[in-house]
Amino acid sequence: MEKVLLKNIENTNSADITEYQKIGGYASIAKALEKERKDIIEEVKKAGLRGRGGAGFPAAMKWTFASGDPKFPKYLVCNADEGEPGTFKDRPILEKNPHLLIEGMVISGYALNAEYGFIYLRGEYPDAKHILERAIAQAYDRNFLGDDIAGKGIVFHLSVHQGAGAYICGEETALIESLEGDRGQPRIKPPFPVNVGVWSKPTIVNNVETLSNLPYIIEIGGEAYSKIGSPECPGPKLYCVSGHIEKPGVYELPMGTSLREIIYTHCGGIKGGKQLKAVIPGGISTPVLPPDKIDCPMDFVNMPKHGSMLGSGAVIVMDETVCLVKVCYRALKFFEHESCGKCTPCREGTGWLRSILERIEHGEGQEGDIDLLLSVSSNILGKTFCPLGDGAASVVQNFIKHFRPEFEGHITAKTCAVEG
Ligand SMILES: Cc1cc2nc3c(=O)[nH]c(=O)nc-3n(C[C@H](O)[C@H](O)[C@H](O)COP(=O)(O)O)c2cc1C
């Protein structure tokens, strides 16, 4: 498959506007500005583009809600928070292909009639901030941003807002709170940001990878784009793979490539020829899978049928030397730390889960602890303000579902059979 999102990134100067234009960059803006706004949304609908931030929501549907709202101004926010553990797929776009994202945002801004855009950037990506700001300045210089884009009277301004390192600020309503200068905590939905977003105006929040698909959709047309990858969720997909594999990294492959192909064909298999023990397919919040489940196509529709989720496409591979009780405990330490504290089930529940897992991991587990974990997690699932609590609860439930004997072994033997 021809590279779309990671095109030209092996060029050491790929973040420079001249290099980007040499390979046809910014040509899609002129093409998009010839179309009516609604026709661009129609093209995105034909393309079947789904959001790449985790939930896979159809982009055109979200855009239609926002563009149908008469309130003005409207805002376009790029979610570049990339806080989900294991996820680093947006980073190569931000650092090596920033003009692709900018071009995508200009096209989206035009389609949505939004004159202001923000890139909400992960606090831990300081290099990306400088690279994006330089790229934005270059785009202003060449009239791809500003008050008269490409001489067509189209207005779109763009700036970078850097977060301060809170995972919850990746959740779109917490992100909006943070962008407005308030404490990053989720808002109750509805109303959804498409109607009541930044400064109570219609706001589209889309992931970096989602918006970066726009230039290509305009270039080849929605129909042709819809033929790439899975029929139900087409397009190229960035899979970022880490853990016990020979070749970790970010891979651009057709959406729906199987986990097996990603691990064994593209990443060179398990490091040192060891046995695969478990895979987290889409970032820490997505359900862990045992080795017999890796033939599933990695897309938003098929992963749930195989007991997991595509999430952010962050594949974490674990070999036979890994203690899964420890992994589960570490994950819950993370969720407890990152819970924003706004709602009780998440604030209290993640702490309880962590504390029970901590005693099991430290050889102090008690009879009944596994049932207690399942009971506490089921009191979090579906009862929290935002999906952070669901993620924490589902991690516990799925590790126990697939690897219960390992938890039982820790409790009865008071030690870890894998690590000793
Ligand atoms: C706790 C939490 C963290 C999230 N972090 C991110 C993130 O870092 N980047 C992202 O794009 N979406 C993240 N999301 C999803 C966003 O809320 C939102 O669905 C997404 O930005 C929409 O963009 P998309 O439609 O292009 O996927 C997170 C959601 C939750 C609940």
Side-chain angles (χ1 to χ4, degrees):
M1 189 192 79
E2 154 188 28
K3 293 264 184 295
V4 176
L5 304 164
L6 302 184
K7 188 175 173 183
N8 204 33
I9 64 160
E10 51 296 327
N11 174 345
T12 49
N13 210 12
S14 59
D16 187 76
I17 195 164
T18 304
E19 296 301 307
Y20 184 66
Q21 287 193 273
K22 267 190 210 161
I23 56 158
Y26 284 114
S28 289
I29 288 187
K31 211 169 161 190
L33 296 188
E34 280 164 17
K35 293 179 189 286
E36 290 206 26
R37 295 189 157 96
K38 64 174 176 37
D39 295 337
I40 297 178
I41 300 180
E42 193 50 38
E43 215 57 57
V44 174
K45 189 174 174 187
K46 267 194 225 151
L49 179 68
R50 285 175 184 251
R52 306 297 202 234
F57 194 81
M61 200 186 291
K62 199 190 270 191
W63 290 19
T64 306
F65 294 147
S67 61
D69 192 311
K71 290 198 290 299
F72 200 76
K74 299 180 201 291
Y75 297 103
L76 175 65
V77 177
C78 168
N79 191 341
D81 196 58
E82 190 138 273
E84 176 74 13
T87 312
F88 48 95
K89 69 177 181 75
D90 294 336
R91 190 172 183 177
I93 297 180
L94 297 166
E95 293 183 353
K96 299 190 170 162
N97 219 352
H99 288 288
L100 181 72
L101 173 62
I102 295 169
E103 185 175 9
M105 289 190 74
V106 174
I107 295 167
S108 314
Y110 168 67
L112 296 160
N113 204 6
E115 296 188 342
Y116 296 91
F118 302 95
I119 300 174
Y120 189 95
L121 179 67
R122 178 180 167 84
E124 297 88 340
Y125 281 174
D127 290 348
K129 180 167 190 280
H130 299 304
I131 294 165
L132 282 167
E133 282 175 345
R134 175 172 173 260
I136 288 171
Q138 289 180 333
Y140 269 104
D141 274 354
R142 299 207 183 172
N143 222 15
F144 296 121
L145 286 171
D147 289 323
D148 183 21
I149 295 174
K152 297 265 168 100
I154 301 300
V155 179
F156 190 69
H157 292 275
L158 183 59
S159 61
V160 179
H161 180 100
Q162 192 154 30
Y167 171 58
I168 192 58
C169 289
E171 193 284 328
E172 57 185 7
T173 60
L175 182 157
I176 289 169
E177 287 284 312
S178 168
L179 191 61
E180 290 180 356
D182 292 326
R183 184 174 181 168
Q185 290 192 317
R187 295 175 178 175
I188 198 88
K189 293 193 270 191
F192 292 94
V194 283
N195 302 115
V196 182
V198 180
W199 298 297
S200 301
K201 299 295 184 203
T203 301
I204 289 289
V205 182
N206 272 134
N207 173 256
V208 172
E209 188 185 344
T210 315
L211 293 166
S212 299
N213 272 284
L214 260 295
Y216 194 60
I217 292 174
I218 296 300
E219 182 188 330
I220 67 167
E223 191 73 36
Y225 180 97
S226 74
K227 305 278 185 309
I228 304 168
S230 295
E232 298 103 332
C233 16
K237 176 77 194 95
L238 296 177
Y239 299 103
C240 51
V241 194
S242 62
H244 296 125
I245 30 145
E246 290 290 349
K247 292 185 282 175
V250 183
Y251 293 83
E252 180 175 345
L253 299 168
M255 177 76 92
T257 305
S258 78
L259 256 182
R260 182 179 298 283
E261 184 181 330
I262 293 171
I263 295 171
Y264 288 98
T265 308
H266 300 285
C267 298
I270 309 302
K271 201 168 167 71
K274 291 207 168 70
Q275 290 296 311
L276 174 65
K277 183 169 180 181
V279 189
I280 295 172
I284 198 77
S285 308
T286 59
V288 64
L289 291 173
D292 63 346
K293 293 269 189 329
I294 63 168
D295 287 305
C296 47
M298 285 276 281
D299 66 36
F300 292 109
V301 172
N302 283 293
M303 288 303 283
K305 293 181 193 159
H306 290 79
S308 193
M309 278 149 54
L310 177 62
S312 59
V315 182
I316 306 170
V317 179
M318 290 167 274
D319 75 10
E320 58 195 287
T321 64
V322 173
C323 166
L324 296 177
V325 175
K326 189 187 248 176
V327 174
C328 190
Y329 162 56
R330 280 296 294 116
L332 264 292
K333 261 183 110 165
F334 169 80
F335 286 113
E336 180 191 20
H337 184 259
E338 295 297 334
S339 172
C340 79
K342 183 163 177 167
C343 69
T344 312
C346 179
R347 184 186 63 243
E348 301 299 322
T350 50
W352 277 105
L353 292 174
R354 189 269 310 144
S355 131
I356 302 163
L357 285 161
E358 189 166 272
R359 66 175 182 242
I360 300 176
E361 163 63 10
H362 291 166
E364 293 155 9
Q366 299 160 13
E367 210 190 314
D369 269 356
I370 298 179
D371 290 337
L372 190 55
L373 283 171
L374 292 174
S375 162
V376 175
S377 55
S378 66
N379 277 304
I380 300 175
L381 212 58
K383 299 179 177 69
T384 54
F385 232 75
C386 86
L388 188 148
D390 291 336
S394 124
V395 165
V396 171
Q397 295 197 343
N398 284 287
F399 269 80
I400 294 175
K401 177 176 160 193
H402 294 296
F403 303 100
R404 189 172 179 129
E406 201 162 326
F407 287 77
E408 288 167 345
H410 269 254
I411 294 170
T412 48
K414 307 261 175 237
T415 184
C416 173
V418 183
E419 291 189 338

